[in-house]
Amino acid sequence: MRKHIVAGNWKMNNGLIQTETLISELKQQEKTSDAEVMIAPSFTNLWHAFEATRQYDIEVVAQNMHFSEKGACTGEVSAGMLKSLGIKTVILGHSERRAYYNETDQSLAKKVDAALANNMRIIFCFGEELSDRKAGRQEDVVEHQIKAALFHLNASAFEHIVLAYEPVWAIGTGETASPEQAQDMHAFIRKTLENTYGKNVSESVSILYGGSVKPANAKEIFSKPDVDGGLIGGASLNAEDFFAIVNAF
Ligand code: 13P
């Protein structure tokens, strides 16, 4: 069902000690909103983070995974390995992985299938580059990314999928999509879902916005009707800032 979600993507930040410190600071924050809270530490800190948040309303999720279950894939981590730690959700398709680690629509479709086969929830990321937006083709790009990786699924699979629209030009740049730009794209994404899967699916999938969300702009972005939450990079590395965003709902 459609829910408010605020997820912190820590990216390649925080060693073990910093992870311990940030989690203990997160535990001291007061949550006043109904948003589900997630954090995505690096693989090496997942187990510690999972253990440290056991009694708390914070879900620990992974930033990526391989589509194979096991085998000769040096440096990779499978869905089964994540599940063996108790991890139930994985971020897939982040623009940094698409841009720097060769993730394609085809490999993402395989990762989606592998995650679902392991009963995992997916936060599926996509978004256009600046050149796409300048050329006015942002909707075509987003539609293609979603359809290529997800539209082979049946409707019930969408119970396990959260979408995250992250325009590449707004990631880590301090430049946020305006609340209206975010709303327009989220409405377009929902319409795209509705056209193939019907309103039951389109109205029940949570669509997050990501890209320079900060305490100062979160409330306005989250006030838009089709924005169900945020995927937060930089601001998720500070406990007070992150919870200010969580509490912006
Ligand atoms: P920033 O919030 O640092 O722009 O990062 C967004 C992001 O990429 C989250 O996945």
Side-chain angles (χ1 to χ4, degrees):
M1 271 301 112
R2 191 162 158 191
K3 309 171 183 151
H4 293 148
I5 297 171
V6 178
N9 177 6
W10 290 10
K11 308 192 179 182
M12 196 171 71
N13 293 291
N14 293 333
L16 181 59
I17 303 294
Q18 291 157 312
T19 298
E20 277 175 5
T21 307
L22 180 49
I23 288 179
S24 66
E25 288 167 359
L26 289 170
K27 288 185 216 174
Q28 287 160 29
Q29 307 300 313
E30 191 190 350
K31 191 175 103 167
T32 55
S33 81
D34 65 351
E36 259 188 57
V37 180
M38 301 180 191
I39 55 171
S42 59
F43 286 137
T44 54
N45 295 309
L46 281 177
W47 174 243
H48 173 78
F50 183 80
E51 282 282 293
T53 52
R54 241 179 223 289
Q55 312 297 331
Y56 289 81
D57 203 3
I58 297 175
E59 182 184 348
V60 175
V61 313
Q63 295 178 17
N64 180 35
M65 55 166 243
H66 197 268
F67 49 75
S68 297
E69 197 48 50
K70 62 177 181 172
C73 302
T74 302
E76 293 291 334
V77 169
S78 71
M81 290 172 175
L82 296 174
K83 272 183 61 182
S84 74
L85 301 184
I87 304 294
K88 297 194 184 76
T89 303
V90 61
I91 297 172
L92 294 177
H94 193 280
S95 64
E96 287 148 19
R97 298 218 50 91
R98 292 175 189 261
Y100 312 134
Y101 305 100
N102 259 338
E103 293 214 344
T104 61
D105 294 329
Q106 292 72 29
S107 64
L108 284 168
K110 289 207 243 175
K111 288 185 178 203
V112 164
D113 290 344
L116 292 174
N118 280 277
N119 295 319
M120 291 186 75
R121 179 159 65 157
I122 297 162
I123 300 176
F124 184 76
C125 306
F126 51 87
E128 82 283 359
E129 297 191 20
L130 187 57
S131 55
D132 299 319
R133 186 158 279 266
K134 283 194 168 150
R137 55 171 181 256
Q138 64 273 14
E139 291 188 348
D140 292 344
V141 169
V142 160
E143 182 176 357
H144 174 81
Q145 288 173 321
I146 298 173
K147 288 190 166 173
L150 300 176
F151 274 37
H152 61 289
L153 301 172
N154 59 30
S156 62
F158 283 85
E159 288 167 28
H160 310 285
I161 290 175
V162 172
L163 299 177
Y165 168 58
E166 299 204 301
V168 178
W169 49 272
I171 294 179
T173 57
E175 191 176 341
T176 330
S178 68
E180 291 69 32
Q181 284 173 321
Q183 167 58 27
D184 286 352
M185 184 58 87
H186 285 220
F188 171 75
I189 294 161
R190 223 178 277 291
K191 192 77 201 154
T192 303
L193 282 174
E194 185 189 333
N195 289 344
T196 300
Y197 292 103
K199 254 194 184 316
N200 272 356
V201 169
S202 69
E203 287 302 322
S204 64
V205 172
S206 297
I207 309 177
L208 316 185
Y209 168 80
S212 299
V213 179
K214 309 279 178 226
N217 59 23
K219 218 178 187 59
E220 211 186 336
I221 296 171
F222 292 170
S223 71
K224 295 296 175 189
D226 286 300
V227 178
D228 304 309
L231 185 53
I232 319 300
S236 72
L237 299 173
N238 176 289
E240 283 180 18
D241 286 352
F242 185 55
F243 265 78
I245 296 170
V246 169
N247 292 334
F249 271 111

